Amino acid sequence: MRPLRQRRPALAQLRFDERRAAFAGLPLNERFALIHRTNLWGAVETPSGLGSEISATTQIRSGLQTLLDRYRIRRLLDLPCGVFGWMAAVDLTGIDYIGGDIVTDVVAANRAKHGAPGRDFMQMDLLEDALPQADLVLCRDCLVHLSFANIDRALANLRGCGARYLLTTTFLDLPDNGDIEDGDWRPLNLQVAPFKFPAPIETLLEGCEEAGGDYRDKALALWYLDDLVPE
Ligand SMILES: C[S@@+](CC[C@H](N)C(=O)[O-])C[C@H]1O[C@@H](n2cnc3c(N)ncnc32)[C@H](O)[C@@H]1O
């Protein structure tokens, strides 16, 4: 596996680099609203980016279903939910689902299209809003778009939310982490500095094929939130 600086750039990085100037001075919600409005991440199927296309989620869709069952998850907070594309293909029978996203228009469209009894969508900011009660928080492909300072705020908010489990994106073989501005992208390994998470309870490899396979160590990893004590 190539270390961080030798991996070929992902499309989200290239696209953000091209438009970086348009983000100067924008607050967090407007950054992601602009990304959605302009389909900045460049995927054909979904404004949530290549990682959210149906073909990119084959492995995690089946793995997630098994995991939710194994840990008896009855209430799932999917934060962020993006446009609820691939998640619509997961069987959530028997699970109360709440999808949250910082972009108001995305949440409104999800509610109109996918809202149902036991399936709700709310505008929320992972960094600072009081989070609804859940057994497990799924935070996929989000921290990778945030600065270190805002990841710290997100993790502090998650630690206090009362959920038992966090299932989130990490790149298992990445040797080190780098900082970015909000809205850009880079891979993160949550087990190395500055996060130093313990070994996860389990991991679901995604089978990521982006950039010629340079990100094939991309995974969803499961932790007890109580184990994620700050340094
Ligand atoms: C790459 S998409 C991933 C969406 C979804 N998890 C998936 O797997 O398809 C990242 C999403 O994070 C949302 N987001 C970014 N920062 C956020 C924050 N602080 N609170 C809530 N949502 C946020 C963006 O609006 C965007 O929809």
Side-chain angles (χ1 to χ4, degrees):
M1 185 61 58
R2 297 172 195 220
L4 176 61
R5 279 166 208 87
Q6 289 166 23
R7 297 185 190 210
R8 281 160 283 196
L11 186 58
Q13 279 173 304
L14 295 170
R15 300 281 302 228
F16 191 87
D17 252 356
E18 286 167 15
R19 313 277 169 83
R20 190 175 297 276
F23 290 85
L26 291 186
L28 197 65
N29 59 338
E30 288 179 27
R31 283 177 178 253
F32 287 99
L34 178 61
I35 286 168
H36 274 274
R37 235 180 10 255
T38 58
N39 192 23
L40 187 92
W41 291 326
V44 176
E45 225 176 77
T46 166
S48 293
L50 290 179
S52 300
E53 293 196 322
I54 282 290
S55 61
T57 56
T58 306
Q59 282 184 213
I60 52 160
R61 275 183 284 124
S62 79
L64 178 63
Q65 226 147 352
T66 309
L67 185 146
L68 294 174
D69 195 38
R70 183 178 313 131
Y71 293 91
R72 297 187 168 80
I73 303 305
R74 292 287 156 260
R75 208 167 152 81
L76 169 65
L77 174 59
D78 183 15
L79 179 59
C81 58
V83 297
F84 194 76
W86 65 271
M87 187 61 86
V90 175
D91 181 2
L92 295 170
T93 306
I95 295 177
D96 274 334
Y97 172 96
I98 304 163
D101 204 282
I102 197 169
V103 179
T104 316
D105 291 352
V106 167
V107 172
N110 286 351
R111 193 177 289 143
K113 190 171 172 195
H114 300 290
R119 188 191 294 163
D120 199 6
F121 296 92
M122 298 165 68
Q123 194 276 338
M124 70 185 91
D125 183 349
L126 168 66
L127 272 47
E128 59 185 18
D129 286 340
L131 304 183
Q133 191 266 319
D135 303 314
L136 181 147
V137 183
L138 171 61
C139 182
R140 178 172 183 264
D141 286 357
C142 184
L143 303 180
V144 289
H145 290 291
L146 299 177
S147 64
F148 282 160
N150 279 337
I151 294 174
D152 274 353
R153 296 174 67 199
L155 292 175
N157 203 21
L158 286 164
R159 279 186 203 102
C161 83
R164 184 150 199 227
Y165 301 105
L166 173 66
L167 182 63
T168 192
T169 304
T170 191
F171 291 76
L172 299 167
D173 298 328
L174 192 74
D176 52 13
N177 293 309
D179 206 358
I180 54 164
E181 71 172 279
D182 296 311
D184 197 352
W185 184 91
R186 80 336 209 157
L188 284 176
N189 182 346
L190 295 176
Q191 290 179 260
V192 303
F195 311 108
K196 297 190 179 167
F197 283 14
I201 308 166
E202 66 173 271
T203 55
L204 300 177
L205 261 185
E206 295 212 354
C208 178
E209 291 176 356
E210 260 194 78
D214 281 2
Y215 300 98
R216 61 185 173 275
D217 57 338
K218 184 184 184 203
L220 282 175
L222 183 71
W223 281 279
Y224 291 113
L225 270 163
D226 278 354
D227 285 352
L228 306 184
V229 280
E231 281 278 289

